[in-house]
Amino acid sequence: LRLAIQTVHDLKKFDGCDANSSTYRILLEACSNLLPVGKERSKAIETIFKNCCAEGLVDKRVLEQFQLGAPFELYRKTILLGAAGVDSDGKTLPDEWSRNLPFTVRTAEGRRPPPLSIEGNFIFTTAIKNYQMRKLRTRKNQKLLQGGRLKDEQ
């Protein structure tokens, strides 16, 4: 486990090399497999997950590994009670936890990752859907569509 943690620290020292969500998932898995159940394991898993949140790299696989390795009370305190809010699609995690994921959608505010549910699934909110519909209704697209059929280019 110390070797895995030291490798991540060394990785961060190199220019152009950064940890990603897979790095944190593997660290969480190593803690779960190598440390006995107890306070030390809980503290290590919590620290790794908080670092992942701080770097904005939480995704579904990280959440799943955190849930597998963390005691339920830690999972409940961190994920279930720490959820940012409830919208029509369910509880969502804070946006900053997934801000640096490579998957993004275009919104009125610009490109950003869609919100994550507490299960780790991306939620396509009403704002994202409305933006996509506005883009479909633009003047450029209206020239292509006429009465529901593709207009012939003349």
Side-chain angles (χ1 to χ4, degrees):
L1 179 61
R2 287 184 182 148
L3 179 63
I5 293 171
Q6 185 59 43
T7 303
V8 172
H9 285 296
D10 292 344
L11 177 73
K12 290 181 179 183
K13 289 179 185 177
F14 292 112
D15 289 335
C17 290
D18 292 320
N20 60 22
S21 59
S22 294
T23 307
Y24 286 104
R25 180 187 55 81
I26 291 168
L27 277 176
L28 288 169
E29 188 175 358
C31 284
S32 299
N33 292 334
L34 298 174
L35 292 174
V37 175
K39 286 187 176 186
E40 183 182 2
R41 176 177 168 174
S42 296
K43 183 137 178 77
I45 287 175
E46 183 178 20
T47 302
I48 291 168
F49 187 75
K50 284 185 177 183
N51 287 339
C52 185
C53 294
E55 291 193 27
L57 295 170
V58 176
D59 66 3
K60 182 175 185 160
R61 297 181 320 171
V62 169
L63 282 173
E64 288 171 351
Q65 193 59 52
F66 180 70
Q67 185 177 11
L68 287 173
F72 179 74
E73 188 56 37
L74 176 61
Y75 177 78
R76 186 181 76 79
K77 180 181 79 172
T78 308
I79 304 297
L80 300 179
L81 298 178
V86 179
D87 62 8
S88 61
D89 299 311
K91 283 191 167 190
T92 60
L93 297 176
D95 288 340
E96 57 270 7
W97 286 10
S98 59
R99 71 184 178 280
N100 292 324
L101 292 177
F103 178 70
T104 60
V105 292
R106 191 177 301 266
T107 65
E109 296 86 32
R111 295 195 69 81
R112 64 180 185 87
L116 276 176
S117 70
I118 59 172
E119 291 86 25
N121 299 318
F122 287 115
I123 298 174
F124 291 92
T125 62
T126 306
I128 293 171
K129 292 174 188 172
N130 287 343
Y131 178 80
Q132 291 170 341
M133 289 304 295
R134 278 196 309 274
K135 288 295 283 182
L136 287 174
R137 292 187 200 115
T138 61
R139 193 179 241 350
K140 177 181 172 186
N141 287 330
Q142 289 298 316
K143 289 181 182 179
L144 296 175
L145 295 174
Q146 188 174 35
R149 298 187 198 119
L150 195 58
K151 182 177 175 182
D152 292 329
E153 296 288 328
Q154 296 180 14

